[in-house]
Amino acid sequence: MKRTRPTVLARKRKADQTSTSEVGEVEGRGRRLRQKKVVREAEEEENRPEAEQQVEEEARPDAQAEEPDAQVEEPDTQAEEVEARPDGQAEEEGRLDAHTEEEARTDAHTQVVEQEAERHEDDAHTEPTVVCRGRGRRRQQRQRHDEVPVGPEDPSLLKDFRNHVAADIWNGTERQLLKIYNHSRYLKNWEQPTTNRRFIDKVTASGLLPLAQITYKYCNKVLVSAFVERWHPETNSFHFGFGEMTITLEDVLYLVGLPIEGLAVHAEVHSREDCVALVHRCLGVTMDEASDAVSCGGVELHWLKDTFMKVGDDATDERVDCCARAFLLYLLGTTLFVDKTGIRVNVSYLALLSDLGQVRRYAWGVGALGFLYRQLGQASRSHVKQMGGYTTLLEAWIQEHFPMFQHAMNANYTEELPRAARWQSRRDAKSATTVHYREMLDDVQASQVVFDPYRERRQVVADIALYTGCICCMIVVEPYLPDRVLRQFGLMQLVPGPPLAPLRGTRGSTSATYSVVYQYTDALWQNWRDHMLHEDKRVPVTPGIPWESHHDYLPWFRRVSHLKVARGRGDGHNTESAEERTAAALVLLDKCLSGTHISPFEMKNTLRELQRILRGQDAAHLTTPGPSSSISFTRHSRRNQST
């Protein structure tokens, strides 16, 4: 009879059983040896003369006697073993003293086994810190995230701060520069026909053509990466030492000239079959061609260019319409809705381009802002390395509100153009580093920021800019909260209410674990007038103090936010410079001494604000309390007046 060979699995199972039994025998011998040793030491202790024990106890240091009970007391199990000592202990001790060489090796092996078992037991109670291949290179940092040394004192606002890139930076883990997708070079690849007036008229009527002119050629990755470190998706705003700032609908209107009123940028496109049918219907290709072109819900940009760039004068009206839709989809995919694939654009936007005469009716600026909010939120996670969205809008916003980062002005700019065209596009400076920009933003003062750069250009703030609720871009829904940045509308900053909470979702440390869902319907956006900022919160700032805030705002903000990103640069609580406080105090004093009638209520509020300013001056710049504080402040004020 032919003997069959055992399978690999059977051999492995048999080997595991053998090794398990051997380890069990070794551990059993080790326990017995330890019990014997304990018994022998107890017997020797009893047989020692009382004089030696007394001398030894007197020589024992006092510090040892004061150690915690957990370190001095012996386990109860040892005492029980001593009491249960067998009668034939002498014989056992003789055998124990006469260890053979083989038993000594067994004892050493048992010690190794015990150490290994203890190590595995400790690992079972702690989170593993080994790097898991294919699951990220920094899994070992998870333990450090659980113990963020500095963060919000009150975590009720920034609930997912431990997954934020600022938490990693504070713990000493730097993140490389973000890879930011900028498709401006693709715009030059599409040669627009200059003779086919039908194509040009249809594209111009959409209102989207200026995007091809104002989009920046380069993206300042260093500057954008530094600002992303301060973005918090819970509030959809940047956090600085003086409070919050964000990109508002008014910024979108003035910077890029996109409409912020109209239909929501939203369409129901669910399955791949829907995408294929949409490409077939709107671009005039066959179903097979559409099926080959659609991938992951999008089409590649080069396919659009190669298929629809040529529009002859003799082309039919249907062909001209298809080419116009393809160009507008290409334009959206290279400007407003740049995703992180780097090569595709979502075909869902074709549903909004099917009727070329209705394209202008959509609030493209609102959709672009919601999409950028989501990209900023994902890029703020500690393990995310890429970012999409319309970065031209972000960079133009930075240059308008932060003069210290402004580029050279464009000599060809006119007031008819969007304000993003004011600034020249340039590459990152070779000497620029994220650390340098980070420290600049940590130290920036409210007086160095232009909160309301459009004050001289507009008469009043557009009502829709004060809408409070959710904004939509296809399946992306993000909260829009102007009450957190009232100073950007020329209003005094009050303590805002709690931000909108998502229905469900998490903000993990990667893009795959970042998913939030907010309650939204198109009817909510269409009835935006019913959800505007309440009139009670629209308190104009005092002239000359554009950074003015309620006296309760900064103490509250310092408690719920993380003011500094760079470690070792102070707590950031003194956020107003001496010049800012001096100017604010002089304005309030002029108001009191102007001779005009002031009600007791206004006088009380004015004096309270003056008291806050003076206390801030003392805490920030003076080391000794008492009369010297007021003397120093008086000298400083006089010096400012003389200059």
Side-chain angles (χ1 to χ4, degrees), residues 233-234 374 470 477-479 500-503 507 516-520:
E234 293 89 346
R374 178 58 58 90
C470 287
V477 177
E478 288 288 338
L500 296 177
L503 294 177
R507 295 186 178 96
V516 288
V517 178
Y518 289 91
Q519 184 176 3
Y520 174 83

Side-chain angles (χ1 to χ4, degrees), residues 253-272:
L253 177 64
Y254 285 103
L255 291 177
V256 295
L258 292 174
I260 57 175
E261 292 189 55
L263 302 176
V265 181
H266 182 238
E268 297 290 340
V269 181
H270 301 289
S271 62
R272 186 179 188 278

Side-chain angles (χ1 to χ4, degrees), residues 340 378 381 383-384 386 509-515:
K340 290 186 286 188
Q378 291 181 348
R381 304 297 90 186
H383 291 179
V384 175
Q386 301 172 331
S509 60
T510 63
S511 296
T513 57
Y514 188 103
S515 176

Side-chain angles (χ1 to χ4, degrees), residues 93-262:
E93 288 180 0
R95 288 200 300 268
L96 184 64
D97 293 335
H99 276 315
T100 62
E101 185 177 355
E102 181 179 359
E103 288 178 334
R105 287 197 303 268
T106 302
D107 194 21
H109 180 63
T110 301
Q111 186 177 4
V112 173
V113 172
E114 291 174 352
Q115 293 176 355
E116 189 71 16
E118 291 176 359
R119 185 178 67 82
H120 284 294
E121 183 178 357
D122 293 339
D123 291 346
H125 292 83
T126 59
E127 194 169 354
T129 60
V130 297
V131 177
C132 297
R133 297 179 180 177
R135 293 289 185 180
R137 295 181 302 171
R138 295 191 296 172
R139 184 70 61 85
Q140 67 270 23
Q141 301 295 334
R142 293 175 59 185
Q143 272 188 319
R144 299 175 61 184
H145 287 199
D146 293 337
E147 300 178 358
V148 178
V150 171
E153 178 184 343
D154 181 358
S156 61
L157 182 64
L158 306 181
K159 298 180 180 179
D160 298 308
F161 180 75
R162 72 169 193 167
N163 294 321
H164 198 278
V165 63
D168 263 16
I169 294 172
W170 192 273
N171 289 333
T173 303
E174 285 287 338
R175 182 175 70 174
Q176 63 184 6
L177 284 179
L178 287 171
K179 181 179 180 180
I180 301 174
Y181 289 97
N182 180 16
H183 292 338
S184 60
R185 65 184 185 277
Y186 289 139
L187 293 174
K188 296 183 178 180
N189 295 337
W190 191 301
E191 299 176 0
Q192 301 180 30
T194 57
T195 57
N196 194 319
R197 295 303 310 175
R198 293 176 295 167
F199 176 87
I200 296 176
D201 291 343
K202 291 180 181 296
V203 171
T204 305
S206 68
L208 299 175
L209 191 57
L211 292 174
Q213 303 171 356
I214 66 173
T215 299
Y216 293 158
K217 181 179 180 180
Y218 306 109
C219 179
N220 194 327
K221 296 185 296 183
V222 181
L223 184 60
V224 171
S225 298
F227 270 84
V228 167
E229 294 172 358
R230 317 194 79 87
W231 180 267
H232 291 279
E234 293 89 346
T235 60
N236 274 346
S237 61
F238 300 100
H239 286 215
F240 303 96
F242 53 81
E244 299 177 46
M245 294 186 70
T246 193
I247 309 170
T248 66
L249 290 176
E250 190 177 50
D251 289 312
V252 176
L253 177 64
Y254 285 103
L255 291 177
V256 295
L258 292 174
I260 57 175
E261 292 189 55

